[in-house]
Amino acid sequence: MLDVIIPAYNAHATIGRTLHSIAMQTNVKRLSVTIVDDCSPDGGYGELAAWFSPMMEIQEVRTEKNGGPAAARQKGLDETDGDFVTFIDADDTLLAANSLAVLEQKIVSGDLDMVGGRFLEELEDGRFFTHGENFVWMFGKVYRRSFLERFLLRFNHTRANEDTGFNTLVKALTRHYVFLPQAVYLWHFKPDSITRRENGIYAFDEGHRGYIENMIWATEEMRARNLNRELIRSQVVRVLCRLYFMHMGICYHKPLYAGESMEHIRTFYRGCFAPMEDAVSAMYLQETFLAEQECWKNKAAGIVAAMTFREFLAAAGEKE
């Protein structure tokens, strides 16, 4: 069985189309759907679950208190026991009738711990952007439950970027994963969603802080599990370089958040980079920076850097 977990908070206007896209799946007889009501003030989804129950196995569970997507996803994991698990947001849909069947077939035949597909992001102007291989979002991925249980892998209970933290740890714990060329998931545009409200302020404020919190969490988890030191060093240095470009974007687009951004970066620097700083050569740091710069060349186009990378490191490493 493949468990389909849907965290839902006040999603009554959109979750119907999400469930329709699941009900049309060619492997629907092997699906078990769990709606996790994260204490929606407008009430639960019991009636909707009952309406879909003749079409597929479906249940609703409820968190004890509102905890955000991470808590809701973890509740869904704890309340299910299928061999495989996938997560779908309550305002999105599967792209095709065979989306889950394609992922399911590959994870079984390849004896994999995770399989992912491409997904489409609907933009405000009606165009679609295709996302390929990534360990950022939960979108379009199926996980083997025995893998998650073997490594006691759970969500970090932050309210932002918990999916990035979760998937960073997945990538560190296994090499048995593949990404398929097919697009399997549609991320619908929703102007009042968390990531898009107030002209995307989430990316510069809550999302930025959540990303750093989850990278600290992932690093601590890697250390606690005694993972390869080089793997941890590579992860930490890559994140530090990435934070430079994220911080430059904040300085350029939302300078009022620059001070807060640097304080969060200093927390990452002190907790993750400082303990290994002596083992990171200038050449290693430069090579990692150049590789990350290549990834950001389109995102950062037109941004005037507020400081050099050397100045950034000096500011991040300032003593309390």
Side-chain angles (χ1 to χ4, degrees):
M1 293 294 289
L2 169 58
D3 283 312
V4 183
I5 296 173
I6 311 173
Y9 179 78
N10 270 11
H12 302 82
T14 59
I15 196 172
R17 72 182 180 192
T18 304
L19 293 171
H20 275 292
S21 79
I22 299 169
M24 69 181 285
Q25 293 300 298
T26 56
N27 60 343
V28 67
K29 297 300 182 184
R30 296 191 300 278
L31 305 181
S32 179
V33 180
T34 298
I35 303 171
V36 184
D37 175 22
D38 194 21
C39 296
S40 301
D42 291 343
Y45 307 88
E47 290 186 9
L48 198 57
W51 192 88
F52 276 95
S53 61
M55 309 174 203
M56 56 189 178
E57 184 177 319
I58 184 169
Q59 66 170 341
E60 179 194 32
V61 299
R62 184 179 174 89
T63 57
E64 294 181 2
K65 61 179 181 179
N66 176 262
R73 287 174 178 141
Q74 190 59 56
K75 177 72 171 178
L77 273 177
D78 294 340
E79 295 287 339
T80 56
D81 60 3
D83 302 300
F84 307 100
V85 60
T86 190
F87 300 89
I88 299 179
D89 285 357
D91 53 0
D92 294 336
T93 58
L94 295 164
L95 190 61
N98 68 340
S99 289
L100 291 184
V102 167
L103 296 173
E104 179 194 34
Q105 188 277 331
K106 187 61 179 178
I107 199 170
V108 172
S109 65
D111 194 23
L112 300 168
D113 294 322
M114 190 211 81
V115 61
R118 295 175 182 268
F119 70 89
L120 303 184
E121 177 184 359
E122 182 184 14
L123 305 179
E124 186 173 7
D125 62 6
R127 293 180 298 117
F128 293 92
F129 179 81
T130 302
H131 293 266
E133 178 177 335
N134 74 85
F135 281 92
V136 179
W137 297 278
M138 306 305 296
F139 300 160
K141 297 177 176 67
V142 169
Y143 305 84
R144 185 180 294 272
R145 186 180 293 271
S146 61
F147 159 71
L148 301 181
E149 293 179 343
R150 182 166 73 253
F151 289 103
L152 302 177
L153 218 168
R154 300 176 65 83
F155 284 94
N156 181 27
H157 281 195
T158 56
R159 286 184 174 268
N161 266 304
E162 75 293 332
D163 42 3
T164 307
F166 184 90
N167 282 320
T168 295
L169 202 51
V170 167
K171 185 179 182 181
L173 290 169
T174 184
R175 291 294 175 265
H176 299 291
Y177 63 82
V178 298
F179 285 89
L180 304 177
Q182 295 95 325
V184 297
Y185 189 101
L186 179 55
W187 180 9
H188 287 269
F189 179 79
K190 190 167 178 280
D192 60 345
S193 68
I194 293 175
T195 57
R196 289 168 171 136
R197 69 190 180 197
E198 297 179 45
N199 295 317
I201 196 66
Y202 170 92
F204 305 107
D205 183 18
E206 185 180 358
H208 184 61
R209 180 177 67 252
Y211 174 76
I212 294 174
E213 289 174 348
N214 276 282
M215 292 304 97
I216 294 171
W217 172 81
T219 303
E220 292 173 346
E221 285 288 318
M222 291 180 197
R223 288 172 175 165
R225 296 161 189 266
N226 294 315
L227 297 189
N228 182 280
R229 290 184 180 179
E230 173 53 30
L231 185 152
I232 298 174
R233 182 178 72 157
S234 173
Q235 166 68 15
V236 169
V237 174
R238 188 167 59 250
V239 170
L240 184 63
C241 293
R242 188 172 302 153
L243 288 174
Y244 168 78
F245 292 100
M246 295 172 72
H247 185 65
M248 291 306 98
I250 289 174
C251 290
Y252 185 79
H253 291 293
K254 300 289 181 182
L256 290 177
Y257 288 88
E260 184 179 349
S261 168
M262 181 53 72
E263 286 305 311
H264 296 316
I265 291 169
R266 288 190 181 113
T267 301
F268 177 83
Y269 190 104
R270 289 191 293 265
C272 299
F273 182 70
M276 65 174 67
E277 188 171 3
D278 292 341
V280 179
S281 68
M283 180 63 72
Y284 186 91
L285 195 58
Q286 181 183 24
E287 290 175 350
T288 306
F289 176 83
L290 291 175
E292 191 63 27
Q293 183 181 50
E294 184 67 19
C295 297
W296 281 81
K297 64 181 181 181
N298 292 326
K299 295 181 183 178
I303 292 178
V304 178
M307 62 181 71
T308 66
F309 186 55
R310 187 184 296 274
E311 291 171 329
F312 170 80
L313 291 177
E318 287 181 357
K319 304 296 183 181
E320 291 184 273

